[in-house]
Amino acid sequence: MDIREVLEAVRKGDMDIAEAERMLRMDHLESIGNDVLFDESREMRKNIPEVVYGQSKDYGTISEILKKRKGKLTLVSKVDEEKYAYINSLVHGTIYVKEAKVVISGKMPKTENGVIGIITAGTSDIPIAEEARIMAEAMGVRCITAYDVGVAGIHRLIEPMKRMIDEDVSAIVVAAGMEGALPTVISSLSPVPVIGVPVSVGYGYGGKGEAALMSILQSCSIGLTAVNIDNGIGAGATAALIACGRKR
Amino acid sequence: MDIREVLEAVRKGDMDIAEAERMLRMDHLESIGNDVLFDESREMRKNIPEVVYGQSKDYGTISEILKKRKGKLTLVSKVDEEKYAYINSLVHGTIYVKEAKVVISGKMPKTENGVIGIITAGTSDIPIAEEARIMAEAMGVRCITAYDVGVAGIHRLIEPMKRMIDEDVSAIVVAAGMEGALPTVISSLSPVPVIGVPVSVGYGYGGKGEAALMSILQSCSIGLTAVNIDNGIGAGATAALIACGRKR
Amino acid sequence: MDIREVLEAVRKGDMDIAEAERMLRMDHLESIGNDVLFDESREMRKNIPEVVYGQSKDYGTISEILKKRKGKLTLVSKVDEEKYAYINSLVHGTIYVKEAKVVISGKMPKTENGVIGIITAGTSDIPIAEEARIMAEAMGVRCITAYDVGVAGIHRLIEPMKRMIDEDVSAIVVAAGMEGALPTVISSLSPVPVIGVPVSVGYGYGGKGEAALMSILQSCSIGLTAVNIDNGIGAGATAALIACGRKR
Amino acid sequence: MDIREVLEAVRKGDMDIAEAERMLRMDHLESIGNDVLFDESREMRKNIPEVVYGQSKDYGTISEILKKRKGKLTLVSKVDEEKYAYINSLVHGTIYVKEAKVVISGKMPKTENGVIGIITAGTSDIPIAEEARIMAEAMGVRCITAYDVGVAGIHRLIEPMKRMIDEDVSAIVVAAGMEGALPTVISSLSPVPVIGVPVSVGYGYGGKGEAALMSILQSCSIGLTAVNIDNGIGAGATAALIACGRKR
Amino acid sequence: MDIREVLEAVRKGDMDIAEAERMLRMDHLESIGNDVLFDESREMRKNIPEVVYGQSKDYGTISEILKKRKGKLTLVSKVDEEKYAYINSLVHGTIYVKEAKVVISGKMPKTENGVIGIITAGTSDIPIAEEARIMAEAMGVRCITAYDVGVAGIHRLIEPMKRMIDEDVSAIVVAAGMEGALPTVISSLSPVPVIGVPVSVGYGYGGKGEAALMSILQSCSIGLTAVNIDNGIGAGATAALIACGRKR
Amino acid sequence: MDIREVLEAVRKGDMDIAEAERMLRMDHLESIGNDVLFDESREMRKNIPEVVYGQSKDYGTISEILKKRKGKLTLVSKVDEEKYAYINSLVHGTIYVKEAKVVISGKMPKTENGVIGIITAGTSDIPIAEEARIMAEAMGVRCITAYDVGVAGIHRLIEPMKRMIDEDVSAIVVAAGMEGALPTVISSLSPVPVIGVPVSVGYGYGGKGEAALMSILQSCSIGLTAVNIDNGIGAGATAALIACGRKR
Amino acid sequence: MDIREVLEAVRKGDMDIAEAERMLRMDHLESIGNDVLFDESREMRKNIPEVVYGQSKDYGTISEILKKRKGKLTLVSKVDEEKYAYINSLVHGTIYVKEAKVVISGKMPKTENGVIGIITAGTSDIPIAEEARIMAEAMGVRCITAYDVGVAGIHRLIEPMKRMIDEDVSAIVVAAGMEGALPTVISSLSPVPVIGVPVSVGYGYGGKGEAALMSILQSCSIGLTAVNIDNGIGAGATAALIACGRKR
Amino acid sequence: MDIREVLEAVRKGDMDIAEAERMLRMDHLESIGNDVLFDESREMRKNIPEVVYGQSKDYGTISEILKKRKGKLTLVSKVDEEKYAYINSLVHGTIYVKEAKVVISGKMPKTENGVIGIITAGTSDIPIAEEARIMAEAMGVRCITAYDVGVAGIHRLIEPMKRMIDEDVSAIVVAAGMEGALPTVISSLSPVPVIGVPVSVGYGYGGKGEAALMSILQSCSIGLTAVNIDNGIGAGATAALIACGRKR
């Protein structure tokens, strides 16, 4: 029963007030939660697929979750090949994107809700960029990618930047490890928001993405924000959300 | 001379090739810079005012910069009252927003390029939120603010969130110090991207915004990105950039 | 109007269902907040005074808050003497506990909701211990204190521990800076929960309470938990909450 | 011989004073230790089982300890399946709770010394919550659990919180990794002390429980204290100790 | 009454057993403390003066402590000139060693309990070295000092090292800031234990003594141990304790 | 087509201006990149071999890169024996320097562009020193090495230092783990720049090269600079670059 | 030839001055090194065995070192069982102390140069304590050990402390992980210097010995110094050095 | 007497062997130090002026040092205006470079030992760059400077880089705070070694030069090394040393 039905039952005398009050207070709390309150939010968010963080879960748990989802679009991130082999033996109809370590269960959307750009500094950053790409595509957003453009050869940046601007991307994801200078450089050239993803590449002092994260956060380039180290999903989702916003 | 003029001079025989090559290579490098290359970028970025980070500059330097800008819209951030007094005695026609510690020089735009929301967890976060607001308004973006909504009383969040969603904000800035839980909560309720600004409030372990920054980066809420601690300018600018993108 | 009144209006036909639904959904959200839901919570929590963290607020803001509270019991923590002088000139009827840097506004309770113990390792830890004491007393809980008992002379611990056990304290707050060994030692002797408060005393590596916090968290003594460095208010409140719980 | 017996021997002349003094000073020091001094403490603490931290001990050492304990209730924490297999082949009559990685040796109590609540933010936090549950139950305290309630959907918190308050829990343990916002939210709704357990889930900056620990310590919610990362045993024991205190 | 007196009263029948037991257990706990147990310890330690850490105490507290000590040898460390001026106006008969920021109250010993060496790398390390020297002299130990010997010019080390070895020092204190290489070099040349004191000189990464502390702890030179940054008192006391040990 | 060819085509009327402009702007951007601009730079840099950071790349990626390089001199660093076995089975004609974990593909130069010195503190630092040596030799620079000279025995430093100075080295690379004092000592004796390479040897506080890096950065010895922990390639390359500079 | 022989050759005219000068300057530098200068040092240090840090060396390197040492007393630390198996197959006549992970090559001394105490807080600290014991015994110093005395039960400390004082130990090594409170407690009871060894036991915040190291360095107990985490060798050597000093 | 004179005295019989040996061993140690051994080093280093780190020294100490130097070229770094006023009143003939906070005492050289480049990212980095410039000039090296070139506008880098390459600089110093991306970009364009100086500008996470230092150390650009944060002196000196090396 929803609120309206309770109220009508009260009006008709089919339900006494004490019972109605109890239902409205306690039993129906779930329906008074935010899902009810923010219809618009829910509507706008409905094209965001479920994402399962696969690293801290074993294959059994993941398989169970996928079964429960019954084919609704679900991404499982940070799944290595071995773990996928087990999942694959338990759940049918999934796709494994090895480069990105992502399992896709359910149907990817066909609509185009917008377009974003994805750039990486080096080849080691590509898996995280691919994670971002899959997430964005799962939200119905097309991705223009330019991988391994480096930071030194500015001329290597110009062609892909030009292409992205020409195609009117809504946001650009830049994945970079090591010293993480690329997001700053891209952001200074970009007319749209840039989401920097530090990548856990690098060694010694500032290694494992720490220097890259710091660089992105210290950057004074307007329009640059950060997600956590290796969080390709988050970067792709935010960029896609911006794209979807423009589409509306 | 721009590229076209050089080429025409060459075609007409008014300039020999060596000279033309020299101009195209060395002397005109400045014009081959990114300003030339990215006309569209430049156009799209033209409503971003100049921002001067005032903390590490003395009043003399700031005053000189403002004079050089000759009334073009310029914001100077992190300026305390005493420093402003000196600046004010040297440069005419500036406005000082004490709460935000921002000096405004030049005319704020009258256009409305979009609308964003700005929320703070506590009263101590307001100066940073105000910094974000001024920056966004300087980009011609209207701001709906809801300050001091806390994190505990979920019902205090609901009314402002509803209002922001109703007004179709393009992005929401959430400023929070201490444990920094609010950006996560807001982001989970929001249909649009949320930019979390950690605020340097708090003490002991995780104080000075460190816990808040970590919370935002660790959050698995889709659509949440971070700027550095106390970087209200960056948060406001990114939110406004998203809003402007939708307006185009 | 509360839920019951709305329901009765519906039953009586004084309000139509659409209006009732709207009220129950949006306009009355505030009353559907947690205050309404958790009557018992609210009741149990009602003897917790308002606490204002005074460090990051100027005297003007604090004075305004105190005036708004209209004499309801309020503690303002981390207020130095100079700031209090200003507050005192603006707000009447407050008490300043210099040792604890706490301003008390409103009446302290006379009831005794229980009893707790408060112990410090050194004299430098006393201000934080006093903060805890005032907070607990503001919740109607009596405090037995034993300050500067050191960590080395175990015999100096025994007498106060004995007294606290004899008086059946519900919990013990232990404030300690430097190497922070005392909370572990006390906890191992104590039949009741111990709340360790690291104090920002100490220098060099592990200084400013960091070593003390680590010691408390690393301790394997059963029943020992931590609050953040210098958080006397939090420690006192938790201990008092435990005491109040037993009283019920 | 205890003190009384020595004294009686002296009175009867069966022991000379020098000998008695020696016994009272040196030889009997062990009996003058804290076990003797704090009879009440010992009594109150007697329902706390022995806990062995299994991670840094090999199966041989653990087996030996369990044999020495001769069936008195003992918990061994952080024991993985493989290590348990070895222990099981050496010691009879133990139970292994795989989810919590805890070995139980001896009989769990049947009395009910009170009741506490245990909540987790996500599924990855459950092992630590289970560790807390076993510890509390080993102290004769009943546990109401609510796992995977998230932090975003406030309505999902309300039902279990209501149930816990209705059952008059004495304390609530909240286990949370990632950004660790849940303990703050729960504590703000709770009339009883909350013990936050950061869980070593999460990645990049603030990963491995660091952000969660910081969030808990930075939180200004009254009544919230912290144990170290993954210390489910400590959290369960403290919550149970509070419950037992009320029972007395 | 001490233990023997109680026992004699029991033997004579002047005290009944219950009373004697009570006294031996509770009332006399203080006398069963470690002062009683370790007569030898106490004797050996009796030439260690009281040390008051002056930094976290105001002049009032310090003055009060000095008065209570009634002229027994007491050192107050980390007292700046201004604070001493106040102390001097309240307490008579103290000496202030400005270079070391130490206040001496009471008589320094005249005996020579041994001899130690004290070396500094630079001139900035001298205040900490002087703190060590005063502490050692307050324990009746003579000090041979060699300040500002650098780390580069190995020949500048040789003469003072030779002198110290000739005079048969029992231990050497080495104070060093910046990169802190000197303690390692000295220790490798020294036949006696070396106590390294990191000094809070230096800037940027590893500044404030952190690099020096790390260097000392990482050093694989046999016989080198560390005290905390700027802890000249601790270094001097340990070196003197070693010297006193040889004297016995 | 290069700039000159475009210009000539324009002059000859073989290309219209719009086309020429387009080519000069967009299509030929790559050729206007820094390779074109800095002919001298490129010339001077042409003896720097390609370096591939092997650690974060799998053998497949590395093999592919080597094949694409078609025998041009390429170094792959941080490749363990197992990974090399796979590479070796896929790419012919490579050399594996096990000690340095470096794969060499292509011909090492025979010219002598200068000479540098390489020194290590211990035997554990040798792999990093060897990495530096191979890099320098790949740039045509001869290396004088002195490994395991320690820091304590100053006399052990003198002979190799003398030899290096006699052979007029242009720079000295010093690899050191643990407390990292050696680079400071060498630099103070050296007439030429010293490049310190912290090595990830050591344990506990300041382990994994952190203390060594700090020591090098804190050192006030003139002429000493640092590369990151274990970055033998970078140190060797910089030293060789200095040597090549003198040769020109 | 030593200095005297050169001088005599000069006096006799058997060597010309230029040659003599050369020898005294360059060729004989080694003999002018510290071994020559500090005869006494060398004498006093001659009972310190060679120690090889085994962790960062493979079995081949270790075996080679042991062979070169030709039976002179050598300890190899941090060698696990598997590595020892290989060493044992290559080098004859070594002893492996599994508990301490130390390989002993050569004859342990029979003299008694003094006596020290070694105490551990828990059972997990024993391996490090055993490392210290072997080192001290290798220097001819007898060790009184008391393992697993805890920190809580003060009475468990008293008996071993009494015994150590009675046997007149020259120094006490205290190994402790977790919160590391024991070294402080022991030091406060001890008449002789205490060397604290933090042990890498513990988890979460302050784990791996960090909290223990901080506790020892923060402690204000007179006579307590620290070695790095798990550095049992260093602690044992320093304590033994102090003991040997008293023996002279 | 130097070695030769002693030997001749021995040969002539003017000095007996025991005396000669004593002189050669002990009394003349200073002359056997490194100054004697490395004549060439000393010669090559003689154009390096004395540098005094002024921050941790008071004006009295600095003045005394300058007087002792008797007009030999000396730089005092990190001296603020107020401190200089005092120094100026005590020592005559010094020059104060306010921008760089450097005091120059003695005559700057007129020779030109080479040329280097100095570049800054922003205006806030200029003081550190100026410190480097003065140091280099004090070593007789000419400096080409290009300040405030930013990181975003690549075209702004090209002109100064071209000029520096044309003038054949031997090395380039790049000072950068905030995210510190510039040294990486410059190094990738530069044919000569680049010395990166992180500048303590920036705020929040990675502020005070930490992000910049990390960026420089993480950079994989060949030829880039780092000095510590704000160490302009060290950067300038190293660059000048490289320049001087080419000049020889």
Side-chain angles (χ1 to χ4, degrees), chain A:
Chain A
M1 290 179 87
D2 67 11
I3 295 181
R4 175 169 292 266
E5 289 169 332
V6 171
L7 288 171
E8 284 190 354
V10 166
R11 190 179 52 88
K12 290 179 188 160
D14 294 353
M15 184 184 288
D16 66 20
I17 285 178
E19 172 68 8
E21 190 183 352
R22 194 187 59 75
M23 287 187 74
L24 288 175
R25 277 184 191 251
M26 279 309 114
D27 304 326
H28 286 231
L29 269 173
E30 203 161 331
S31 71
I32 307 182
N34 55 295
D35 290 325
V36 165
L37 295 174
F38 297 102
D39 287 348
E40 194 175 359
S41 250
R42 199 178 40 183
E43 181 64 22
M44 288 162 81
R45 290 204 146 225
K46 82 181 167 197
N47 60 5
I48 302 180
E50 183 81 8
V51 181
V52 177
Y53 180 57
Q55 187 135 50
S56 64
K57 298 192 179 60
D58 60 28
Y59 68 90
T61 310
I62 295 170
S63 300
E64 215 166 309
I65 292 170
L66 293 182
K67 281 174 186 166
K68 272 192 202 149
R69 295 276 304 161
K70 291 178 187 169
K72 277 186 290 183
L73 183 55
T74 310
L75 306 183
V76 192
S77 68
K78 315 285 180 200
V79 176
D80 58 33
E81 274 186 280
E82 194 187 332
K83 196 185 277 187
Y84 177 67
Y86 286 102
I87 294 169
N88 196 29
S89 69
L90 294 173
V91 188
H92 296 298
T94 64
I95 294 169
Y96 181 61
V97 187
K98 184 182 155 185
E99 181 73 311
K101 291 188 164 180
V102 170
V103 179
I104 304 171
S105 170
K107 260 201 206 153
M108 293 288 275
K110 302 233 157 143
T111 56
E112 182 175 322
N113 295 324
V115 55
I116 63 168
I118 304 179
I119 299 178
T120 78
T123 54
S124 305
D125 309 322
I126 294 176
I128 300 306
E130 283 292 282
E131 205 187 85
R133 185 182 59 77
I134 293 169
M135 182 66 194
E137 289 178 359
M139 290 170 70
V141 169
R142 184 162 60 86
C143 301
I144 304 173
T145 60
Y147 292 164
D148 194 19
V149 301
V151 66
I154 201 68
H155 59 288
R156 284 163 64 195
L157 305 178
I158 288 174
E159 192 281 326
M161 277 301 293
K162 180 71 191 164
R163 185 155 48 95
M164 289 177 185
I165 292 168
D166 284 351
E167 298 225 20
D168 196 19
V169 295
S170 293
I172 300 173
V173 169
V174 184
M178 307 298 288
E179 91 294 331
L182 191 62
T184 291
V185 173
I186 295 289
S187 175
S188 71
L189 299 172
S190 163
V192 296
V194 171
I195 294 125
V197 200
V199 177
S200 62
V201 172
Y203 57 92
Y205 184 57
K208 302 192 176 167
E210 197 183 357
L213 175 57
M214 274 194 187
S215 280
I216 296 167
L217 288 173
Q218 279 296 328
S219 173
C220 43
S221 180
I222 294 295
L224 176 61
T225 56
V227 293
N228 205 348
I229 297 164
D230 289 343
N231 188 1
I233 292 287
T238 300
L241 211 53
I242 295 172
C244 295
R246 282 180 63 190
K247 199 73 184 193
R248 287 203 312 273

Side-chain angles (χ1 to χ4, degrees), chain E residues 34 37-38 40-41 44-45 48 51 135 158 161-162 165-166 168-169 187-193 195 213 217-219 221-228 231 233-234 237-238 241-242 245-246 248, chain G residues 34 37-38 40-41 44-45 48 51 135 158 161-162 165-166 168-169 187-193 195 213 217-219 221-228 231 233-234 237-238 241-242 245-246 248:
Chain E
N34 55 299
L37 295 174
F38 296 103
E40 194 175 1
S41 250
M44 287 161 81
R45 290 204 147 226
I48 303 180
V51 181
M135 182 65 193
I158 289 174
M161 277 302 292
K162 181 70 191 164
I165 292 167
D166 284 352
D168 195 20
V169 296
S187 175
S188 72
L189 298 172
S190 162
V192 296
I195 294 126
L213 175 57
L217 288 172
Q218 280 296 329
S219 173
S221 179
I222 293 295
L224 178 59
T225 56
V227 293
N228 206 350
N231 188 1
I233 291 286
T238 301
L241 211 52
I242 295 173
R246 282 179 64 188
R248 285 203 314 271
Chain G
N34 55 297
L37 295 174
F38 297 102
E40 194 176 358
S41 251
M44 287 162 80
R45 289 203 148 227
I48 302 180
V51 181
M135 182 66 193
I158 288 174
M161 277 302 293
K162 180 71 191 162
I165 291 167
D166 284 352
D168 195 19
V169 296
S187 175
S188 72
L189 298 173
S190 163
V192 296
I195 294 125
L213 175 57
L217 288 173
Q218 280 297 328
S219 173
S221 179
I222 293 296
L224 177 61
T225 57
V227 294
N228 206 348
N231 188 2
I233 292 286
T238 300
L241 211 53
I242 295 173
R246 281 179 64 189
R248 285 204 311 271

Side-chain angles (χ1 to χ4, degrees), chain H residues 19-38:
Chain H
E19 171 68 9
E21 190 181 354
R22 195 186 59 75
M23 286 187 74
L24 288 176
R25 277 183 188 251
M26 279 309 114
D27 304 326
H28 286 230
L29 269 174
E30 203 161 330
S31 70
I32 307 181
N34 54 298
D35 291 323
V36 166
L37 296 173
F38 296 103

